[in-house]
Amino acid sequence: MAQVSSPYNAKALTWSPLPDIYFFESFSTKNESTSTFKLIKEQLVNWCSFEATVRASSNACLGSQTQIIPTQIEKELIHVGNEHGLMSRFGQNIAHAMSEVNNKCGLPIRYGDFQVGRTIGGRYGVGGVPDLILMDNDHGIRAVCEGKTFWTKSLKSLTRQTRATWFGQLVRYMDDHHLAFGCYTTYTESIFLKRVSDTTFEKSPVILHTTASSETGGEGGISLRECFLYLAAIASTDSYRYPTRYGDNLTNGSLIPRERSSLRLEELMTSLSVKDPKQGQ
């Protein structure tokens, strides 16, 4: 897909797809990254209004932003062959680019690696290290992202149980840090999670790195960058936090989910429509 011509403004950058990765199968890691944490399929349900929620949030954030952003990210020149290299490119094409947009929109949210963040409300012997965090100006962790390689994992055409097994690692990080939102990405495919009860999580559709946002939005019309603008907007409000930490049994692969009881879609939409994201500062 053709990239948006530079120079970018905030909306054009947010709506643009990510550049393709330089990758050669014969010069890459062969084994997939695994984790002992897992869910059962009943803990994952569809996040049916994901695209509409993202578009409502980005419209509120972007408004009439027309200032030029100097970021130049139309194509990739760096070759990658492992997870560390892939996530470095994700950091450039998502974290760096969207940090510029966050600044223009007045969102007090920064990106970083785990070591520069802190758990808001205390630690519980947290041992895992997410690949990317969204944090506030005081380094408080407000959302997490877990990355895998696209040549060892594909998020499309999976059974519910396979996805539940894979997402256990991300859910463990979300639970450890009292977070309601997270993202699981292979760069080429990404899925966002929203915690809707102590034991249940809604999952977004698969968002492709090649998708550009369209005026109509909806399925297939929301870019990955627009999704991260939504995540930053949520992270700038109190909606980022989930009050309960369930503990190790949440991700042992044998839990019976509880009824969905919190963080309903209507509450989040009300938060976005009534509360200016800038007020989270």
Side-chain angles (χ1 to χ4, degrees):
M1 179 177 293
Q3 304 296 311
V4 176
S5 299
S6 60
Y8 296 90
N9 62 28
K11 180 177 177 180
L13 179 58
T14 301
W15 282 28
S16 64
L18 272 60
D20 292 331
I21 289 293
Y22 264 119
F23 166 73
F24 297 90
E25 188 172 359
S26 57
F27 292 90
S28 66
T29 54
K30 304 300 180 184
N31 298 323
E32 65 179 75
S33 176
T34 60
S35 169
T36 58
F37 302 118
K38 57 185 177 180
L39 307 176
I40 60 173
K41 62 183 182 181
E42 288 78 11
Q43 290 176 265
L44 283 180
V45 295
N46 290 333
W47 188 348
C48 296
S49 299
F50 177 76
E51 294 96 339
T53 307
V54 169
R55 179 52 55 87
S57 175
S58 66
N59 283 343
C61 292
L62 292 170
S64 57
Q65 288 287 338
T66 58
Q67 290 180 288
I68 299 302
I69 293 176
T71 304
Q72 301 296 318
I73 47 175
E74 291 186 338
K75 62 180 180 179
E76 278 290 303
L77 299 174
I78 297 175
H79 294 241
V80 301
N82 60 32
E83 184 179 306
H84 177 77
L86 185 65
M87 287 306 294
S88 74
R89 307 318 306 146
F90 189 86
Q92 171 67 24
N93 293 316
I94 287 292
H96 181 84
M98 295 314 298
S99 290
E100 298 271 17
V101 174
N102 290 350
N103 287 338
K104 296 296 183 184
C105 295
L107 296 174
I109 298 299
R110 306 289 181 262
Y111 290 84
D113 44 50
F114 176 69
Q115 284 73 15
V116 300
R118 64 176 180 84
T119 304
I120 300 175
R123 280 179 170 265
Y124 303 90
V126 177
V129 178
D131 289 305
L132 188 69
I133 64 170
L134 281 72
M135 62 184 179
D136 59 29
N137 289 332
D138 294 322
H139 296 262
I141 299 173
R142 290 180 170 243
V144 288
C145 183
E146 179 60 24
K148 304 297 180 184
T149 53
F150 60 80
W151 56 91
T152 63
K153 275 183 163 62
S154 174
L155 301 185
K156 280 200 168 184
S157 303
L158 293 178
T159 66
R160 285 180 64 196
Q161 186 53 59
T162 299
R163 281 185 179 173
T165 299
W166 288 1
F167 293 168
Q169 185 176 9
L170 174 62
V171 167
R172 179 72 271 133
Y173 300 150
M174 292 170 63
D175 191 52
D176 283 344
H177 299 286
H178 283 280
L179 302 177
F181 296 86
C183 176
Y184 190 99
T185 185
T186 66
Y187 187 97
T188 59
E189 299 172 319
S190 301
I191 290 178
F192 292 80
L193 295 187
K194 177 179 70 174
R195 192 169 188 172
V196 292
S197 79
D198 288 354
T199 60
T200 307
F201 298 79
E202 288 186 349
K203 60 177 179 62
S204 75
V206 176
I207 307 298
L208 303 179
H209 82 289
T210 54
T211 298
S213 294
S214 66
E215 290 292 342
T216 56
E219 184 177 355
I222 299 293
S223 74
L224 184 58
R225 288 183 179 135
E226 189 174 358
C227 294
F228 270 91
L229 178 59
Y230 162 69
L231 193 60
I234 285 292
S236 71
T237 72
D238 291 340
S239 295
Y240 85 91
R241 182 174 174 83
Y242 192 83
T244 303
R245 182 181 185 271
Y246 196 90
D248 294 342
N249 287 340
L250 178 65
T251 53
N252 65 8
S254 61
L255 189 66
I256 299 176
R258 294 178 179 175
E259 290 294 322
R260 285 184 277 174
S261 58
S262 59
L263 289 179
R264 295 188 302 273
L265 177 62
E266 311 89 77
E267 295 172 344
L268 294 176
M269 291 295 286
T270 300
S271 172
L272 288 171
S273 61
V274 173
K275 187 174 183 180
D276 187 332
K278 298 179 184 178
Q279 295 177 358
Q281 300 185 57

